[in-house]
Amino acid sequence: MHPSLIWSVSFEMEDIHAVCQRGLLRQKYKPTALFATNGVTGLCALKSLYSLGFTTPDSIAFVTFDELIAEDFFQPRITSVVQPTYEIGHRAVKVLFDRIVNRGATSVSKVRLPATLVDRDSSRTRISEHPL
């Protein structure tokens, strides 16, 4: 993957739009897919794609990390990497409770919970055309 295809941006809608516009219209290497690292950035990027005349998945595949709560309102439906939010909250409370019970013990524990790729319409054509 060419380094110019990795973009970093703030959470400001104007910045996201500017990066998408620069990356999608002014690059020598045109991306075939866009991956947003969170729901807020994903919504702004999706809005930018549409305003630039792109459609998913026909013009560009689109995937976001974090479930878009209003997913049912989008057509095509958005492919997402979904985190187990209930389990994350449950485990966080358990860790906090254990620290309170153990009077502020400073032991550090790592908890890894699996994320799930929910393959929906916004990436289907591109994923099938370009297997990893």
Side-chain angles (χ1 to χ4, degrees), residues 40-117:
V40 172
T41 304
L43 287 173
C44 292
L46 197 57
K47 183 177 179 182
S48 295
L49 289 174
Y50 294 156
S51 72
L52 295 169
F54 288 85
T55 59
T56 59
D58 300 326
S59 306
I60 190 166
F62 181 77
V63 178
T64 186
F65 194 88
D66 281 345
E67 185 77 71
L68 299 175
I69 295 173
E71 196 280 326
D72 290 336
F73 293 105
F74 293 96
Q75 288 300 322
R77 296 173 311 132
I78 305 301
T79 298
S80 302
V81 177
V82 180
Q83 299 182 85
T85 53
Y86 176 84
E87 185 66 19
I88 290 170
H90 178 75
R91 295 280 182 100
V93 169
K94 185 178 181 325
V95 167
L96 178 60
F97 183 73
D98 289 346
R99 284 193 177 181
I100 291 169
V101 167
N102 295 318
R103 304 262 188 246
T106 58
S107 65
V108 176
S109 61
K110 289 185 181 180
V111 177
R112 292 181 190 245
L113 300 172
T116 304
L117 176 64

